[in-house]
Structure formats: C-alpha cells, structure tokens
C-alpha cells in the first residue's frame, strides 16, 4: 500500500497462465515466456482493438547459451495506461503460417485499478 507514485514492475511467468493480476495505472507488466526463435516460432501479442496496455518497445529475446539453436526466453513489457480489465493473450506461432493454429497460448486476466 501507500500513496507512492513509483510504478512497479510485475513479473509474470508461464505458470501464471489463467490467473488474474491486479495492478495500478502506470505499472509495468513483464511477461517472460520460454521460446526458441531458431525454430521459426515466436511469441506475439494478440492486441485487442482498444487496449488498456501498451507494449514497450520490441520484445526482448535472451538465449540461454551461445550455441546455435539454444532455447531462450522472450520478454514482453507492457505498461498499464488506463483503468479496466483485459485478457492479455500471447500466442506462440510461426508468423509466416497465419492459417496454422498456434503451438502454445498464454492468457492472463489483467485488472488495472
């Protein structure tokens, strides 16, 4: 609690899928999901027409090692820009295969107060 105006960073991981995350306006949600971009698959935000969240820059990719084909993680940072509730939906797919269902899906409910 308290009335500090400092925005917080809320870290969200794969095991948080299906949960509801309550945050305040101006807070940053940092979503870290395992992915291996060398396979052609990438995580992508399914952005609603009007979103209470803004994606901060491009997703960051961190490889676990320097080996070719090594798995890694993709990190998405969203800032809460207005009050409301929204499903945050990320899909793991090949962007060049739009007709193929995603390999994985990640969804959490975001409530911004």
């Amino acid at each position: 609690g308290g009335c500090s105006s400092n925005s917080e960073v809320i870290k969200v991981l794969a095991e948080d899928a299906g949960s509801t995350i309550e945050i305040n306006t101006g807070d940053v949600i940092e979503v870290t999901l395992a992915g291996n971009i060398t396979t052609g698959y990438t995580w992508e935000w399914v952005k609603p027409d009007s979103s209470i969240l803004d994606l901060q820059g491009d997703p960051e990719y961190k490889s676990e090692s320097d080996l070719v084909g090594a798995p890694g993680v993709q990190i998405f940072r969203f800032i809460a820009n207005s009050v409301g509730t929204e499903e945050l939906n990320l899909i793991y797919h090949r962007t060049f295969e739009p007709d193929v269902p995603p390999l994985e899906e990640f969804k959490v409910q975001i409530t911004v107060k």
Side-chain angles (χ1 to χ4, degrees):
C3 295
S4 72
S5 57
N6 294 342
S7 60
E8 285 188 61
V9 174
I10 293 86
K11 293 185 185 294
V12 178
L13 302 170
E15 51 263 36
D16 295 314
S19 62
T20 298
I21 294 158
E22 290 195 357
I23 59 172
N24 298 310
T25 315
D27 283 353
V28 173
I29 305 158
E30 189 178 279
V31 183
T32 302
L33 296 169
N36 192 337
I37 56 174
T38 61
T39 58
Y41 282 93
T42 182
W43 284 100
E44 186 178 24
W45 179 31
V46 183
K47 186 179 180 179
D49 291 336
S50 64
S51 178
I52 59 174
L53 304 173
D54 270 335
L55 183 59
Q56 298 289 95
D58 290 323
E60 191 182 330
Y61 182 76
K62 284 185 181 171
S63 182
E64 285 176 12
S65 76
D66 294 334
L67 296 174
V68 174
V73 292
Q74 269 180 284
I75 303 164
F76 290 77
R77 291 181 183 88
F78 301 93
I79 189 160
N81 57 32
S82 58
V83 173
T85 300
E86 180 177 308
E87 186 177 69
L88 177 57
N89 184 10
L90 296 163
I91 58 171
Y92 189 60
H93 70 144
R94 286 180 163 142
T95 50
F96 51 86
E97 293 179 350
D99 302 327
V100 179
L103 198 63
E104 291 182 58
E105 236 176 311
F106 173 83
K107 289 180 179 176
V108 288
Q109 197 77 15
I110 305 292
T111 301
V112 183
K113 296 181 288 193

